[in-house]
Amino acid sequence: MTTLGGVTIARARVLVLGGGVTGRSVAQVLSNMGAEISVFDENEISEIDFQRATLSDLSNINWAAVVVSPGWRPSHPIIADLRNREIPLLNEIDLAWEIKQQIAPEQKWLAVTGTNGKTSTVELTESILKAAGISAFACGNVGTPVIDAVISEQKYEYLVLELSSFQLHWAESAEFVAGSILNIAVDHIDWHGSFAEYAKAKLDLLDRSDAAILNGDDANVVEGCAHWQGRKVFYTLQTPKPGEIGLVEDLLVDRAFVEDPMEAAMFCELSEVQPTAPHSVSNALAAAGLTRSIGIDHSVIRDAIKKFRPGRHRIETVLEQNGIRWIDDSKATNPHAAQAS
């Protein structure tokens, strides 16, 4: 394995922009492949095992390639200079995809994006796959870089990727068996420049997905995917139409992945989703749809949902006293998430 992104990696001088978790993982993997790595970060970073590039190095060295960490804005002057010099700009998601194609071609990827709910949804999806006896791992924006999951000795059958709008903006070649868009609300406008560009980054997931599990209750999602010609499965907190999944009284039901869409199969009871909040139920429907799209049985999905609890600090009850309930939702990072809580 010597070529990635059209660049021969062995003995190539590669610059990694960003010294955070993703940048360090990329640097280590490419270094192991024989590249000469330099890392540049605009912020102070702790000790790293690679050469630190200076501002002077950025413009004076003829880099074979530059790997851009997802947080870097496409309008950044450094990025503009590199583009003008026609230096190949690579990203972690596409690098991980190319490596996967070479060392684990049978591995399949699922993806989840949205303004909120991504982490809980990918973690539940992972739990359902594991309950089905499938070797699966949640990675990406949820914590572990995708490139680390790909080269893991575990040899996962499925990766479940949490993808931010930043990652989706830079990625171009990765492909997904199914992708889910949970919601699109105003966020990261300072980075993308406009809500339209932010929404476009989220919706770009569709063009690389064979099937899409989409929030039919979110107007921005519904409108944004109107012209996409792939298989669309909408989920809703209302009664689902044939071909959709949703709620019928106190049941989460499937009318999409059944032999007769005029009938419905049960995923689980509403009370079995904890916490039983609207956005938690919505996320459960998304995870159920993703896993049904690859053939996981309804009974397995139900068992996994019943056992699943979101991570700490997500609408977590910490005290009930004197008729007052105290909720820790410090994982909410924007008004849309706080409003849902």
Side-chain angles (χ1 to χ4, degrees):
M1 186 198 313
T2 57
T3 302
L4 290 174
V7 177
T8 300
I9 297 299
R11 294 183 296 279
R13 298 197 72 176
V14 177
L15 172 67
V16 176
L17 287 180
V21 173
T22 298
R24 293 183 191 209
S25 290
V26 167
Q28 188 61 63
V29 169
L30 296 186
S31 176
N32 291 344
M33 293 172 61
E36 298 178 18
I37 299 295
S38 296
V39 177
F40 178 80
D41 198 297
E42 292 182 306
N43 302 313
E44 286 293 325
I45 53 177
S46 57
E47 290 301 315
I48 57 175
D49 298 328
F50 304 98
Q51 176 71 36
R52 297 190 189 206
T54 65
L55 274 172
S56 176
D57 292 333
L58 300 190
S59 55
N60 292 329
I61 294 177
N62 186 27
W63 305 100
V66 175
V67 183
V68 183
S69 295
W72 281 71
R73 299 182 188 182
S75 59
H76 195 289
I78 290 174
I79 301 294
D81 177 63
L82 293 168
R83 287 192 192 279
N84 289 336
R85 293 163 59 197
E86 299 185 344
I87 293 175
L89 299 181
L90 310 178
N91 64 86
E92 184 247 345
I93 301 299
D94 287 346
L95 287 177
W97 175 256
E98 285 199 47
I99 294 172
K100 180 213 81 80
Q101 293 291 76
Q102 296 178 42
I103 69 173
E106 299 303 314
Q107 184 185 84
K108 296 179 175 61
W109 288 10
L110 300 172
V112 175
T113 194
T115 304
N116 294 300
K118 297 185 295 295
T119 299
S120 294
T121 304
V122 298
E123 289 176 344
L124 175 54
T125 302
E126 177 197 62
S127 295
I128 295 171
L129 294 175
K130 288 181 175 179
I134 294 172
S135 173
F137 188 68
C139 57
N141 204 49
V142 67
T144 302
V146 181
I147 202 166
D148 286 345
V150 166
I151 66 170
S152 169
E153 295 180 357
Q154 296 295 320
K155 307 302 179 187
Y156 299 108
E157 297 172 71
Y158 275 86
L159 295 184
V160 187
L161 279 63
E162 176 185 334
L163 295 175
S164 69
S165 60
F166 308 151
Q167 291 168 309
L168 285 166
H169 171 87
W170 289 109
E172 296 179 350
S173 61
E175 298 177 4
F176 308 97
V177 175
S180 181
I181 303 177
L182 307 180
N183 41 63
I184 303 176
V186 175
D187 201 14
H188 302 308
I189 304 305
D190 56 337
W191 196 95
H192 290 278
S194 69
F195 177 72
E197 286 300 310
Y198 169 70
K200 179 181 180 299
K202 296 290 191 186
L203 292 162
D204 279 350
L205 175 63
L206 298 174
D207 293 330
R208 293 188 293 279
S209 300
D210 294 334
I213 313 300
L214 303 163
N215 188 347
D217 296 332
D218 188 292
N220 291 319
V221 173
V222 174
E223 180 181 350
C225 73
H227 299 294
W228 184 64
Q229 297 301 308
R231 185 184 183 188
K232 291 180 276 195
V233 175
F234 290 104
Y235 62 91
T236 174
L237 296 181
Q238 307 300 318
T239 301
K241 300 173 184 176
E244 298 182 347
I245 57 181
L247 291 182
V248 175
E249 297 181 350
D250 293 330
L251 301 177
L252 280 67
V253 301
D254 177 10
R255 298 187 69 186
F257 303 99
V258 290
E259 289 186 11
D260 183 358
M262 298 308 295
E263 301 294 333
M266 183 181 75
F267 285 124
C268 66
E269 297 181 18
L270 183 61
S271 61
E272 292 170 342
V273 180
Q274 293 295 324
T276 313
H279 68 281
S280 295
V281 177
S282 186
N283 294 341
L285 288 167
L290 281 172
T291 51
R292 276 301 292 153
S293 74
I294 60 169
I296 304 302
D297 290 342
H298 294 93
S299 60
V300 173
I301 294 172
R302 182 179 188 179
D303 288 343
I305 288 175
K306 288 166 66 175
K307 296 174 182 176
F308 180 76
R309 297 294 181 272
R312 297 291 309 277
H313 314 297
R314 293 179 175 88
I315 54 173
E316 181 181 16
T317 299
V318 294
L319 178 67
E320 289 190 48
Q321 184 173 310
N322 300 328
I324 300 173
R325 179 181 299 167
W326 301 83
I327 304 293
D328 173 7
D329 194 49
S330 53
K331 277 290 185 179
T333 56
N334 53 55
H336 187 259
Q339 184 180 26
S341 175

